[in-house]
Amino acid sequence: MAAEPSPVTCIEEENLFVQLTHDRLDIASIMARVKSPKAGAVVLFAGTTRDSFADKPVVHLAYSAYAPLALRTMQSIAREVKGQHSLTAIAMVHRLGVCPVGEESILIAVSSPHRLAAWRAGEQALEECKERVEVWKLEEFGGDEGAVWRANRDGQAGARVENAMDDVGGQT
């Protein structure tokens, strides 16, 4: 018997798509959402789990969110960025749950008539997501390093936790 896919939570508008999912992220699918004959440029950012952080071996990351609020924040960011850069389309997908080393945790794709607007919009969308979206990550380290919960922001200090995987179970 095949495993059932994880529930998908998304908001979709004309040329705008945001999603939170427990499934592996699909680069081709998000690219297809923004491609258009009106767009001369498509930019994709793929945030990937790396194998170390601050010289500590990373086993995996685990993401948790309050999905209704996180989706509304992602939608607001997508609307702002789309309007500010006159984008053809924008799509943002963030993974929840365990994300192993080498797999993507966030995909942001934008399209526009010209490349400069697409480059700038992609970077702005990423930075705004990291700053504002209500997603938290648990960094599980190898050896005796344990785990640290932190806001999903670069370089932010976190709090060490015991039995970290017990804290992740079932949270969306």
Side-chain angles (χ1 to χ4, degrees), residues 6-120:
S6 303
V8 172
T9 308
C10 67
I11 297 174
E12 190 165 7
E13 301 174 0
E14 184 176 357
N15 299 318
L16 183 151
F17 179 80
V18 296
Q19 179 184 41
L20 296 170
T21 182
H22 284 87
D23 294 331
R24 286 183 73 171
L25 302 186
D26 181 355
I27 291 172
S29 171
I30 195 169
M31 292 290 288
R33 288 190 172 276
V34 300
K35 284 190 174 184
S36 166
K38 296 176 183 177
V42 174
V43 170
L44 170 72
F45 172 81
T48 306
T49 302
R50 63 183 176 267
D51 65 359
S52 63
F53 178 79
D55 295 325
K56 297 181 208 170
V58 172
V59 175
H60 63 258
L61 301 179
Y63 292 90
S64 183
Y66 177 62
L69 184 56
L71 279 170
R72 285 194 304 271
T73 303
M74 290 171 71
Q75 177 188 35
S76 175
I77 291 166
R79 284 177 175 167
E80 291 167 15
V81 170
K82 185 176 180 242
Q84 183 177 346
H85 296 280
S86 301
L87 297 178
T88 305
I90 184 169
M92 303 187 318
V93 180
H94 203 299
R95 186 167 173 176
L96 299 177
V98 174
C99 187
V101 170
E103 292 188 15
E104 292 80 18
S105 57
I106 187 168
L107 298 176
I108 297 175
V110 300
S111 62
S112 74
H114 304 286
R115 70 180 179 272
L116 187 56
W119 279 117
R120 289 181 175 163

